[in-house]
Amino acid sequence: MENFTVNRTDKEDISVLYIGGFLDAHTAPDLENAIQNLIDGERYKIIVNFNDLTYISSAGLGVFMGYIELIRNNDGDIKMSNMSPKIFRVFDLLGFPTLYDIVDDEIKALENFK
Amino acid sequence: MENFTVNRTDKEDISVLYIGGFLDAHTAPDLENAIQNLIDGERYKIIVNFNDLTYISSAGLGVFMGYIELIRNNDGDIKMSNMSPKIFRVFDLLGFPTLYDIVDDEIKALENFK
Amino acid sequence: MTNVDKKHKKAKSIRPKFEGEYKLRIPSATDNLELIRGFVAKVAEKVGFCPDDIGKIELACDEACTNVMKHAYDKKSKNTSLDVLIKIDYQKLTLVVTDHGKGFNPNTIPMPNLKEYLAELKVGGLGIYLMRTLMDEVDYDIKPGVQNRVRMVKYLIDRKKSELVQ
Amino acid sequence: MTNVDKKHKKAKSIRPKFEGEYKLRIPSATDNLELIRGFVAKVAEKVGFCPDDIGKIELACDEACTNVMKHAYDKKSKNTSLDVLIKIDYQKLTLVVTDHGKGFNPNTIPMPNLKEYLAELKVGGLGIYLMRTLMDEVDYDIKPGVQNRVRMVKYLIDRKKSELVQ
Ligand SMILES: Nc1ncnc2c1ncn2[C@@H]1O[C@H](COP(=O)(O)OP(=O)(O)O)[C@@H](O)[C@H]1O
Ligand SMILES: Nc1ncnc2c1ncn2[C@@H]1O[C@H](COP(=O)(O)OP(=O)(O)O)[C@@H](O)[C@H]1O
């Protein structure tokens, strides 16, 4: 059983991270590694597709907080798409939608990078 | 969440019980009720279709042991079909295949009543 | 026929008890979070909470346990454990997470001002805030080195409300 | 930039421990069997047992707990509880199910002769037989009214064998 999965697809200068399973204090380092890899490759335009994510805790939210400044300072962004209502509610509870571009699907997220 | 489900379909003089979920000491009485209802209606030709059953313990096996004699004394039988390998293994461990007619699918079970 | 009669007596069905205590003691390590969440969610489901509230209880419990795993013990400590107690009755679910670590003073932990927090792009410091937001009551009982507890309550009254709404 | 650096330090990853104890105390009622099975199965999965062996451990634990729920306590007793302890290390999983009920003498319980059993169409009496068949070691420690325990061991060596086979 895979607790947490992260798969990357590059679409020109934009990278999409597909995340699945649960993102908690145990699996957050896996997502950090994936984002760190993008940064090491100077790829700052990032879409995180939440389609297969079933659970998130504050440890998961913290990963995004940890990188957003650096990424934006490099003309990039983290855009988020395909969140289930359950996951969105946690982001919403903490006011994250004012800080992050959270959109319905990946196509919209790609458009917003144009 | 339904822990255990049992649905009945009558095909002429044969009744099929479709069981699903888990059959343990907690849910065994539900299966007993379903079989008791058949007996009360003098329907002794019974197929139990295990297709959706995910788990069985000895309490579940006991239900079949409790009725088989009465049913056979009335020219009936309990035939079993569509068991997953996991469920079959428990029956097998206890030698039940020598006592019960356990077949691959419902069609075969119906045929065996002819 | 007594023998046959005996066989036909119904298997004893022990009725669900909606009052009771469920206790868990497990190693204080993040790879157990999934296990704890699954357990707490099932108990919450048994009591009759709606999926939304089950999700809230699960998350609040995760946050409390994550805090124990991250903050309660020195890294060198061995055999560190964490207790989760779930008490259920008709009206409410009480969740008590206990550690035997160094403790802290919850009064000195300010609740984050979310706007300021987001503006400053801080990392962390959201756990206790979430717990207080998700649950109806949250209080701490800290005895450093002995027993540190956080007690959280969720009332089941919400069930009726949410059943009406949905 | 120290502030930014700080943020980028990796979240602490606390490594899975393959040694440790998991304890559960729950009300002695059959509606908790599912909860127990789910918990035990997850721990067995963590240790690395193959699906077959996880199923065996789950069933053996169910049988032991069902026996407590059916036989250990008088029907009138209130607040009756059952303990499940899972100890894991690299080589084996040990499952201890404890009740505080009336106890029994396991030596007087004959192992069923399966052929005879089936020929006589008996109901029940398969639980302990299953436990002994499914697990590598099973022993009882009975102190009526105080503490009655069944201890069952499953060795993880089977893992390699089954990994080779599959
Ligand atoms: N069980 C605990 N043991 C010791 N310290 C704790 C415990 N729970 C919380 N704390 C302290 O409270 C602080 C705030 O916790 P929280 O709001 O969850 O945010 P975070 O864990 O991200 O820092 C922690 O940084 C820690 O210092
Ligand atoms: N925890 C227990 N407390 C009291 N008696 C027990 C306990 N476990 C088993 N027994 C006794 O052992 C007998 C055999 O158990 P088992 O093989 O599981 O079959 P069954 O439960 O179907 O009778 C039970 O009928 C009961 O008398």
Side-chain angles (χ1 to χ4, degrees), chain A residues 65 69, chain C residues 114-123, chain D residues 3 7:
Chain A
M65 292 305 278
E69 189 169 10
Chain C
L114 273 193
K115 285 218 172 123
E116 196 184 302
Y117 178 92
L118 293 171
E120 290 179 4
L121 301 175
K122 284 192 187 151
V123 181
Chain D
N3 194 29
K7 279 188 209 164

mmCIF file of all heavy atoms in Angstrom, chain A residues 65 69, chain C residues 114-123, chain D residues 3 7:
data_model
loop_
_atom_site.group_PDB
_atom_site.id
_atom_site.type_symbol
_atom_site.label_atom_id
_atom_site.label_comp_id
_atom_site.label_asym_id
_atom_site.label_seq_id
_atom_site.Cartn_x
_atom_site.Cartn_y
_atom_site.Cartn_z
ATOM 1 N N MET A 65 3.330 26.614 2.320
ATOM 2 C CA MET A 65 3.754 27.872 2.952
ATOM 3 C C MET A 65 5.270 28.019 2.902
ATOM 4 O O MET A 65 5.799 29.118 2.764
ATOM 5 C CB MET A 65 3.290 27.906 4.414
ATOM 6 C CG MET A 65 1.800 28.003 4.589
ATOM 7 S SD MET A 65 1.062 29.414 3.736
ATOM 8 C CE MET A 65 1.383 30.747 4.911
ATOM 9 N N GLU A 69 7.079 31.764 -1.023
ATOM 10 C CA GLU A 69 7.802 33.040 -1.126
ATOM 11 C C GLU A 69 8.953 32.921 -2.130
ATOM 12 O O GLU A 69 9.092 33.741 -3.047
ATOM 13 C CB GLU A 69 8.332 33.447 0.246
ATOM 14 C CG GLU A 69 8.908 34.843 0.265
ATOM 15 C CD GLU A 69 9.191 35.321 1.696
ATOM 16 O OE1 GLU A 69 9.108 34.487 2.637
ATOM 17 O OE2 GLU A 69 9.483 36.514 1.853
ATOM 18 N N LEU C 114 -5.052 35.047 11.422
ATOM 19 C CA LEU C 114 -4.893 34.393 10.118
ATOM 20 C C LEU C 114 -4.407 35.340 9.025
ATOM 21 O O LEU C 114 -3.528 34.998 8.249
ATOM 22 C CB LEU C 114 -6.200 33.733 9.685
ATOM 23 C CG LEU C 114 -6.433 32.303 10.194
ATOM 24 C CD1 LEU C 114 -7.570 31.678 9.432
ATOM 25 C CD2 LEU C 114 -5.171 31.449 10.069
ATOM 26 N N LYS C 115 -4.972 36.562 8.966
ATOM 27 C CA LYS C 115 -4.568 37.500 7.914
ATOM 28 C C LYS C 115 -3.085 37.800 8.012
ATOM 29 O O LYS C 115 -2.343 37.741 7.036
ATOM 30 C CB LYS C 115 -5.383 38.798 8.021
ATOM 31 C CG LYS C 115 -6.807 38.604 7.514
ATOM 32 C CD LYS C 115 -7.298 39.826 6.762
ATOM 33 C CE LYS C 115 -8.641 39.513 6.102
ATOM 34 N NZ LYS C 115 -9.692 40.450 6.537
ATOM 35 N N GLU C 116 -2.674 38.123 9.241
ATOM 36 C CA GLU C 116 -1.271 38.443 9.494
ATOM 37 C C GLU C 116 -0.409 37.228 9.161
ATOM 38 O O GLU C 116 0.629 37.332 8.523
ATOM 39 C CB GLU C 116 -1.137 38.799 10.976
ATOM 40 C CG GLU C 116 0.132 39.513 11.365
ATOM 41 C CD GLU C 116 0.160 39.698 12.887
ATOM 42 O OE1 GLU C 116 -0.782 40.335 13.425
ATOM 43 O OE2 GLU C 116 1.110 39.192 13.515
ATOM 44 N N TYR C 117 -0.913 36.065 9.594
ATOM 45 C CA TYR C 117 -0.198 34.827 9.391
ATOM 46 C C TYR C 117 0.071 34.589 7.908
ATOM 47 O O TYR C 117 1.193 34.297 7.492
ATOM 48 C CB TYR C 117 -1.032 33.667 9.963
ATOM 49 C CG TYR C 117 -0.410 32.308 9.772
ATOM 50 C CD1 TYR C 117 0.414 31.753 10.753
ATOM 51 C CD2 TYR C 117 -0.640 31.588 8.611
ATOM 52 C CE1 TYR C 117 0.989 30.514 10.566
ATOM 53 C CE2 TYR C 117 -0.064 30.349 8.414
ATOM 54 C CZ TYR C 117 0.746 29.814 9.395
ATOM 55 O OH TYR C 117 1.314 28.597 9.199
ATOM 56 N N LEU C 118 -0.977 34.741 7.127
ATOM 57 C CA LEU C 118 -0.847 34.494 5.694
ATOM 58 C C LEU C 118 0.037 35.558 5.051
ATOM 59 O O LEU C 118 0.855 35.255 4.175
ATOM 60 C CB LEU C 118 -2.229 34.475 5.032
ATOM 61 C CG LEU C 118 -3.126 33.294 5.445
ATOM 62 C CD1 LEU C 118 -4.537 33.471 4.920
ATOM 63 C CD2 LEU C 118 -2.536 31.966 4.963
ATOM 64 N N ALA C 119 -0.102 36.807 5.501
ATOM 65 C CA ALA C 119 0.704 37.894 4.935
ATOM 66 C C ALA C 119 2.188 37.636 5.192
ATOM 67 O O ALA C 119 3.044 37.930 4.362
ATOM 68 C CB ALA C 119 0.285 39.234 5.541
ATOM 69 N N GLU C 120 2.480 37.055 6.342
ATOM 70 C CA GLU C 120 3.889 36.818 6.705
ATOM 71 C C GLU C 120 4.408 35.476 6.184
ATOM 72 O O GLU C 120 5.571 35.130 6.396
ATOM 73 C CB GLU C 120 4.052 36.883 8.223
ATOM 74 C CG GLU C 120 3.879 38.291 8.757
ATOM 75 C CD GLU C 120 4.009 38.338 10.271
ATOM 76 O OE1 GLU C 120 4.315 37.294 10.873
ATOM 77 O OE2 GLU C 120 3.800 39.428 10.834
ATOM 78 N N LEU C 121 3.535 34.715 5.544
ATOM 79 C CA LEU C 121 3.918 33.419 4.966
ATOM 80 C C LEU C 121 4.627 32.527 5.982
ATOM 81 O O LEU C 121 5.679 31.963 5.718
ATOM 82 C CB LEU C 121 4.817 33.629 3.742
ATOM 83 C CG LEU C 121 4.205 34.445 2.603
ATOM 84 C CD1 LEU C 121 5.239 34.682 1.521
ATOM 85 C CD2 LEU C 121 2.985 33.749 2.023
ATOM 86 N N LYS C 122 4.025 32.420 7.151
ATOM 87 C CA LYS C 122 4.640 31.587 8.187
ATOM 88 C C LYS C 122 4.430 30.106 7.891
ATOM 89 O O LYS C 122 3.478 29.723 7.209
ATOM 90 C CB LYS C 122 4.018 31.902 9.542
ATOM 91 C CG LYS C 122 4.524 33.208 10.102
ATOM 92 C CD LYS C 122 4.122 33.338 11.555
ATOM 93 C CE LYS C 122 4.497 34.728 12.051
ATOM 94 N NZ LYS C 122 3.609 35.208 13.113
ATOM 95 N N VAL C 123 5.333 29.316 8.416
ATOM 96 C CA VAL C 123 5.173 27.861 8.292
ATOM 97 C C VAL C 123 4.865 27.309 9.677
ATOM 98 O O VAL C 123 5.531 27.649 10.638
ATOM 99 C CB VAL C 123 6.467 27.194 7.778
ATOM 100 C CG1 VAL C 123 6.269 25.689 7.641
ATOM 101 C CG2 VAL C 123 6.880 27.791 6.455
ATOM 102 N N ASN D 3 15.756 33.481 7.376
ATOM 103 C CA ASN D 3 14.344 33.186 7.576
ATOM 104 C C ASN D 3 13.835 32.224 6.510
ATOM 105 O O ASN D 3 13.138 31.258 6.796
ATOM 106 C CB ASN D 3 13.548 34.491 7.534
ATOM 107 C CG ASN D 3 12.139 34.287 8.068
ATOM 108 O OD1 ASN D 3 11.940 33.421 8.910
ATOM 109 N ND2 ASN D 3 11.196 35.057 7.553
ATOM 110 N N LYS D 7 12.686 28.090 6.699
ATOM 111 C CA LYS D 7 11.454 27.526 6.168
ATOM 112 C C LYS D 7 11.738 26.291 5.334
ATOM 113 O O LYS D 7 10.931 25.391 5.249
ATOM 114 C CB LYS D 7 10.764 28.545 5.260
ATOM 115 C CG LYS D 7 9.963 29.568 6.018
ATOM 116 C CD LYS D 7 9.178 30.377 5.007
ATOM 117 C CE LYS D 7 8.948 31.765 5.521
ATOM 118 N NZ LYS D 7 8.549 32.639 4.411
#
